[in-house]
Each structure stands twice: as C-alpha cells, then as structure tokens.
Amino acid sequence: VQLVESGGGLVQPGGSLGLSCAASGRVSVIVSMGWYRQAPGRQRELVARIPTTRMVHGAKTDVADSVKGRFTISRDNAEKTVYLQMNNLKSEDTANYFCFALNDAGAEHWGQGTQVTVSS
C-alpha cells in the first residue's frame, strides 16, 4: 500500500485547511485509515481514524479530544482516499501530519507527511 498526502501549508489562526491522502496498491486489504501528527519535540499522536467497510470488529471513527468539534475525517466511497477537514485552526495544531493505513494483517503503512503551520 502506498499513501500520498496533499493539502498542507500555512494558515492563520482560526483558518481552515483540508488534507487528503490517496492510497494505491493493495487497497482491498485496508481496514482503517487516518491521520497522526507530530510536532517538534513531541510524540506522534493520533488525530483521527476511520474504518473501512472491511473492518468487522471494533469499527468506529476516532477523533482526538484536542481536535474534536474542529476536525472532521471522512473517506470516499471507493475507500481509497481519506480526508481531514480542519477548521478553527490553532497554533498548537502546527505539526507534520502523517497519513496511515492499517491492513487486515495488522501492518501499518505510512505516508511521507505534510506540514501544517498555523501562524499569524
């Protein structure tokens, strides 16, 4: 599985930005996709994840408390692309955002990351 992210950039506080992540390769084995982020000097943290219809048990959409109500994760019907709509961005949202995909064998696949900078 290969993942390609797009949509990062610079935005002012209170602004909006959308990220997308397109999967290719063996997408038929993906059971979950989502986003992590990592700021300098901090651990990588889960932002949001969404299951595909292939995940049978424990299928739920998770959104971190720190972004709940501001960020929305969604996926396309073909379940090859996942989106992260980020509204009311704050300076603490500044980080490198990584797309991930989990396959049915429990293996993780990662994108190269896209930088989001929230600054005036």
Side-chain angles (χ1 to χ4, degrees):
V1 175
Q2 293 78 46
L3 303 172
V4 178
E5 302 119 330
S6 60
L10 174 64
V11 64
Q12 292 186 341
S16 298
L17 206 58
L19 305 181
S20 64
C21 173
S24 61
R26 294 192 66 203
V27 295
S28 63
V29 299
I30 294 175
V31 297
S32 178
M33 293 182 71
W35 298 88
Y36 276 75
R37 67 184 181 185
Q38 187 167 22
R42 301 189 65 176
Q43 289 188 329
R44 188 173 292 191
E45 62 174 351
L46 175 68
V47 178
R49 60 185 172 191
I50 186 168
T52 70
T53 55
R54 301 175 197 91
M55 178 175 277
V56 177
H57 301 292
K60 62 176 182 177
T61 298
D62 286 326
V63 180
D65 288 342
S66 59
V67 305
K68 199 166 292 184
R70 301 187 296 120
F71 290 14
T72 303
I73 187 170
S74 61
R75 54 172 169 76
D76 68 335
N77 288 336
E79 300 184 319
K80 295 181 180 180
T81 302
V82 64
Y83 306 95
L84 185 69
Q85 179 61 38
M86 305 181 291
N87 298 326
N88 191 21
L89 282 158
K90 304 176 181 180
S91 58
E92 52 261 43
D93 296 319
T94 295
N96 203 357
Y97 285 68
F98 295 89
C99 176
F100 79 93
L102 181 70
N103 72 16
D104 55 4
E108 295 176 342
H109 304 272
W110 294 90
Q112 78 284 0
T114 185
Q115 179 67 34
V116 172
T117 301
V118 185
S119 175
S120 55

